[in-house]
Amino acid sequence: MRPADVLAIGETMVMVTPTPGGRLDADSAFILRPGGAESNVAALLARLGHATAWASAVGRDPLGDLILDALRSHGVDVELVRRDDERPTAVYFKDPTASGTRVYYYRRGSAASAMTVAEVAGWATRPSRITHISGITAAISPQCLELTRHIVFDRPLGPAAVSFDVNHRPSLWNDADAPAVLLELAQRADIVFVGRDEAAALWGTSDAESVRRLVDRPPYLIVKDAAIEAVAFTPEGVHRAPSTPVEVLDAVGAGDAFAAGWLSGFLDGRDELTRLRLGHYAASRVLMSPADLADLPPVGEIVSLLEQGAHERVADRRAGH
């Protein structure tokens, strides 16, 4: 197998969401799409021109077919995905409301929840520059927690940098376990993404700097503060970029999009401010979409747009606006 820029590992479910304007009720029309944090990152990175692969398990059922077909169409290599003859593909439902989107998961006993450490040897046949995984995988079953620890601690996938999105899902955890386990994983990764509010709920931190004092080992820590800013702590220093203001249709998937944008800039060797701004741009496109993914132009075009916007802001300041 040819090397990948990013190998993403984790469960993907079938997302059932009403068409725009609908609710989770008998009178709405619905669309089916893949929805999974790690495969979202792989799909968006593929759209940005990177070679990506996804490793997981899905049921040998029509929902598994839907996921694999969709990810292939986005340019993601799915050859490492195992089909399970006995366990189903998981599903989740979105219910958009005026106060935000509620999500209902049906994933217990799914094919992906049965992934084990034994599968990693097969995944190592696809070398990559970055391995991307999240705290969701650690939460879906004891064997998946063991798998996540193996990947982050033991580095069985070779010299690839480990990218870890904390992605705390309270409904999947025993509250007493999540803070220690997720901190342990974050401390052993090379690149860490975490929301400021997420870190506050888990660890009692108050701002990006207090998160860094706690999560002090990774070379790269990116703290996302929703509609305000993102802060990156890197070997070169501290970098901040304000969020892109948009009209939010659905926030689910925006964090994955941010990670994809930032990782794209990292893979291309771009400066840290550009990485953060690529993350914000990708997240803004998903925030305006009813699905977890959104169309993205080529990354070179995005960078040109971002540079043009920066020049326009400088011109506005000079003109006294």
Side-chain angles (χ1 to χ4, degrees), residues 36-261:
E38 299 84 5
S39 65
N40 286 345
V41 171
L44 289 166
L45 278 166
R47 290 187 176 191
L48 292 170
H50 301 281
T52 65
W54 173 57
S56 188
V58 296
R60 197 173 296 280
D61 51 35
L63 298 182
D65 294 340
L66 183 154
I67 289 171
L68 295 177
D69 290 345
L71 290 175
R72 285 191 195 100
S73 74
H74 292 307
V76 179
D77 187 318
V78 296
E79 293 302 311
L80 299 179
V81 178
R82 174 175 57 80
R83 304 301 298 266
D84 194 310
D85 292 317
E86 309 205 354
R87 298 175 183 86
T89 303
V91 298
Y92 72 102
F93 295 78
K94 284 185 176 182
D95 185 17
T97 71
S99 59
T101 299
R102 300 186 67 179
V103 182
Y104 301 89
Y105 296 98
Y106 300 87
R107 68 196 314 170
R108 184 170 298 176
S110 68
S113 71
M115 292 189 296
T116 69
V117 168
E119 303 192 53
V120 178
W123 300 343
T125 62
R126 185 68 190 274
S128 63
R129 295 171 61 189
I130 293 174
T131 300
H132 182 73
I133 196 165
S134 86
I136 297 173
T137 305
I140 60 176
S141 70
Q143 55 264 46
C144 281
L145 173 57
E146 183 183 10
L147 168 69
T148 306
R149 283 177 164 149
H150 180 52
I151 289 168
V152 176
F153 298 170
D154 302 331
R155 305 300 177 99
L157 298 174
V162 170
S163 167
F164 178 69
D165 193 331
V166 172
N167 255 332
H168 178 221
R169 298 291 186 268
S171 62
L172 296 176
W173 286 95
N174 177 329
D175 289 342
D177 296 335
V181 171
L182 292 172
L183 178 59
E184 179 185 46
L185 290 165
Q187 286 282 60
R188 299 288 286 274
D190 302 302
I191 301 165
V192 175
F193 300 95
V194 65
R196 185 201 58 77
D197 55 346
E198 180 180 42
L202 277 169
W203 306 313
T205 52
S206 58
D207 53 23
E209 285 72 20
S210 63
V211 179
R212 184 51 164 173
R213 286 193 293 272
L214 181 68
V215 187
D216 58 356
R217 290 181 59 179
Y220 297 90
L221 170 68
I222 300 89
V223 182
K224 303 165 292 178
D225 196 356
I228 300 173
E229 66 175 352
V231 184
F233 299 89
T234 77
E236 291 74 39
V238 183
H239 314 263
R240 315 181 92 95
S243 301
T244 304
V246 295
E247 184 174 344
V248 177
L249 179 60
D250 187 348
V252 177
D256 307 328
F258 184 96

Side-chain angles (χ1 to χ4, degrees), residues 243-298:
S243 301
T244 304
V246 295
E247 184 174 344
V248 177
L249 179 60
D250 187 348
V252 177
D256 307 328
F258 184 96
W262 191 93
L263 290 171
S264 174
F266 182 83
L267 288 162
D268 288 340
R270 302 187 190 277
D271 65 87
E272 186 55 43
L273 181 58
T274 300
R275 295 174 194 171
L276 291 172
R277 293 169 70 198
L278 281 168
H280 283 316
Y281 180 90
S284 71
R285 297 293 290 261
V286 170
L287 286 168
M288 295 185 289
S289 167
D292 289 5
L293 297 176
D295 289 329
L296 294 175

